[in-house]
Amino acid sequence: MAFPLTAILFLSQAYSFCGSNLSTLFFSHQYADTGLVLYIFMLIVMFLHKPQKLDMRLLHPVKVGILLFLAFFIVAAIVDLLVNDVKFSSVVRVFRQWICLSAVWMIPYLKPRDVVKTLNYVMYISVFIALVYLYEFYTDTDLTGAYRLANGTRASIPWSVSFLVFVLLFNNCYRISSFLKWLFIAIIVFEYFMTGTRSIFFACVIVAGLSLLFNGKGVSTNKIMILAFSLAAVGIVLSTDNILTERLFSTKEDISALQGNGRRVGGNMSFRLLMLEERMYYLNQHPQYAVFGIGNIQESDLKQQLFHIGLKSKNGGVTQLDTGDIAWVLLFLRYGYLGTLIYIGTIFFSMIRLFFQNRKSPLGFTTLLYVASALLLLSYTSSVIASSFFWIVPILIIRLLPSTNFRLAMPKKEFRNKPALQAKS
């Protein structure tokens, strides 16, 4: 199952497909839909087999959270069909992005070795694509066509996969040599740096600092020295003339301009804040939308222009619903304040609680940092957490957690003595 799991992850991210999620191979379609079809097929095949005997009590809060959110979605869908006159096909198309939450029920059918192989494949592919992007950057070639629209800089590898690889590498979850570990870390972080992706770069810095301070057996002199050296290196980087510092200074100027130019868009940060403000103002004027959201209507079926701030659409106008720039805009607009509260308060909270309970495990601690960072740091610059594809890898990692309440199909002592990503079934 390692190959289809890896394929699902990369198809869902449009990872190296010319910076787009669209394909005309055989027929016009989206890569994410291809990944979803593969996921459903894999799920059916797995459910035809006999599950392993596992104690699933630790997963009960996670399952309850998912069921509560899906129940809210069903209620909101009924409101859409009966009150908002939304097409049933539109509701189904919006719902498809949450199908991968069912991966929680797939855990008893997963073999630890398949999860280990998947995480290793993801690591090597992430590093390879980072190298390809760096080659494009330095040679000014166009192998993938993966340009960012903003400022014409190169697109970075999708953080929802590559950032997890970085954290896994930094916390020694892969059984590779120390040289390869730091080489792979350098490649991934340098790719972020050269493309000027500010949020993910600083997320790496923050997570690395937290890993040094809290992972392992307390705080040591070596950890403090590494942390001090890392902070000094970051300071040196930020003091030089490069694309990252340019974008940081532009953010500062952007915020200053936002406060004194009549609240007009001046850059990425003001764009995101004003877009969020515009959507929230609209919700506050419509109580039904404030509770349930604007509905499960497709972008193409919305004939009104409700908003004036947003990404450019295919027809040259403003994207009204499906913005990819900030998760909170998508969550608030689609599911209202109630739906967003249920999603964050149940699924996110139960997942964070699960990994916190397993924080003594390198994998548990790593995934805790990853999920918390995605919610607190990266949700303001990306909409990835507003999709169930985000949860596939964290759910896979649950299968490797050595919790006393979640017994795995491997001896506990053997797991402790071996690196996390070299477990055997």
Side-chain angles (χ1 to χ4, degrees):
M1 285 297 176
F3 284 114
L5 283 171
T6 306
I8 289 168
L9 288 172
F10 289 111
L11 285 171
S12 68
Q13 299 295 324
Y15 211 87
S16 57
F17 304 103
C18 302
S20 171
N21 191 38
L22 298 176
S23 174
T24 56
L25 182 65
F26 301 122
F27 57 91
S28 180
H29 65 282
Q30 292 187 338
Y31 288 109
D33 289 341
T34 306
L36 190 59
V37 171
L38 180 58
Y39 170 81
I40 294 173
F41 177 76
M42 186 189 70
L43 205 64
I44 293 173
V45 171
M46 295 186 80
F47 286 165
L48 293 177
H49 291 78
K50 185 178 180 181
Q52 302 177 56
K53 293 182 179 180
L54 298 173
D55 188 345
M56 302 289 286
R57 286 174 294 178
L58 193 66
L59 276 179
H60 182 70
V62 176
K63 291 182 177 180
V64 170
I66 292 173
L67 291 175
L68 283 174
F69 178 73
L70 294 180
F72 167 84
F73 188 96
I74 293 173
V75 172
I78 293 173
V79 173
D80 287 336
L81 296 172
L82 300 181
V83 179
N84 299 333
D85 197 28
V86 177
K87 297 178 182 178
F88 179 75
S89 60
S90 188
V91 174
V92 172
R93 286 179 177 272
V94 174
F95 174 73
R96 64 186 174 180
Q97 66 176 322
W98 297 110
I99 291 177
C100 291
L101 288 175
S102 60
V104 170
W105 283 270
M106 185 174 66
I107 289 177
Y109 299 85
L110 286 172
K111 295 180 180 180
R113 67 169 177 266
D114 288 332
V115 179
V116 170
K117 287 181 179 179
T118 301
L119 294 176
N120 277 278
Y121 293 157
V122 166
M123 173 185 65
Y124 288 114
I125 294 174
S126 296
V127 172
F128 173 75
I129 295 179
L131 283 172
V132 171
Y133 282 171
L134 285 172
Y135 175 80
E136 286 186 324
F137 187 90
Y138 280 109
T139 61
D140 198 27
T141 55
D142 192 14
L143 297 178
T144 66
Y147 285 93
R148 272 195 183 277
L149 296 178
N151 301 325
T153 56
R154 299 287 179 172
S156 63
I157 47 183
W159 69 261
S160 60
V161 174
S162 61
F163 179 55
L164 178 61
V165 170
F166 165 81
V167 187
L168 287 170
L169 283 167
F170 200 89
N171 288 291
N172 299 312
C173 293
Y174 288 108
R175 193 175 184 181
I176 57 177
S177 67
S178 180
F179 172 77
L180 283 180
K181 166 191 167 180
W182 291 110
L183 176 63
F184 291 169
I185 287 176
I187 291 172
I188 291 175
V189 174
F190 196 58
E191 199 276 338
Y192 290 143
F193 169 73
M194 294 307 298
T195 54
T197 47
R198 297 159 291 188
S199 57
I200 189 65
F201 179 82
F202 282 102
C204 288
V205 174
I206 292 171
V207 165
L210 293 174
S211 298
L212 287 172
L213 291 175
F214 298 108
N215 196 15
K217 298 179 180 179
V219 180
S220 65
T221 304
N222 288 337
K223 287 185 177 182
I224 295 176
M225 290 179 62
I226 294 174
L227 181 60
F229 177 79
S230 301
L231 292 175
V234 171
I236 293 172
V237 167
L238 298 181
S239 65
T240 59
D241 185 16
N242 55 71
I243 187 174
L244 185 64
T245 53
E246 288 177 6
R247 298 196 70 192
L248 285 173
F249 285 124
S250 68
T251 300
K252 182 180 178 181
E253 295 172 359
D254 187 19
I255 297 299
S256 299
L258 178 63
Q259 298 172 347
N261 69 351
R263 305 188 67 76
R264 291 181 353 198
V265 173
N268 284 346
M269 186 57 67
S270 62
F271 169 78
R272 293 182 180 116
L273 294 176
L274 290 175
M275 182 167 57
L276 178 60
E277 180 185 62
E278 185 183 34
R279 269 62 169 179
M280 292 182 69
Y281 178 80
Y282 179 81
L283 293 177
N284 294 338
Q285 301 303 309
H286 301 79
Q288 176 190 320
Y289 294 156
V291 176
F292 294 106
I294 202 169
N296 300 295
I297 182 172
Q298 278 190 287
E299 183 79 36
S300 58
D301 293 334
L302 185 66
K303 305 304 180 183
Q304 302 171 278
Q305 182 174 340
L306 303 175
F307 311 111
H308 301 284
I309 303 174
L311 302 173
K312 288 184 180 180
S313 62
K314 298 177 184 177
N315 57 16
V318 173
T319 300
Q320 300 291 296
L321 302 176
D322 298 328
T323 176
D325 240 33
I326 176 170
W328 300 105
V329 167
L330 192 58
L331 289 171
F332 285 146
L333 192 60
R334 281 289 188 190
Y335 309 109
Y337 299 133
L338 178 60
T340 303
L341 179 63
I342 292 175
Y343 179 59
I344 301 300
T346 57
I347 298 178
F348 254 101
F349 178 78
S350 59
M351 285 287 191
I352 289 175
R353 178 173 175 266
L354 171 66
F355 293 115
F356 181 80
Q357 290 175 332
N358 289 271
R359 63 191 182 279
K360 293 183 179 181
S361 159
L363 281 172
F365 179 78
T366 294
T367 317
L368 172 65
L369 290 178
Y370 169 72
V371 174
S373 298
L375 177 64
L376 301 176
L377 299 176
L378 302 173
S379 59
Y380 300 95
T381 57
S382 169
S383 62
V384 174
I385 69 165
S387 169
S388 63
F389 280 115
F390 168 78
W391 291 110
I392 292 180
V393 178
I395 289 173
L396 291 178
I397 290 176
I398 291 174
R399 184 63 183 87
L400 300 177
L401 296 181
S403 171
T404 55
N405 293 325
F406 192 82
R407 295 190 295 271
L408 302 181
M410 63 180 74
K412 190 173 181 181
K413 291 183 179 179
E414 180 183 346
F415 183 88
R416 284 182 172 178
N417 292 335
K418 292 188 177 182
L421 298 190
Q422 286 292 312
K424 295 182 179 180
S425 61

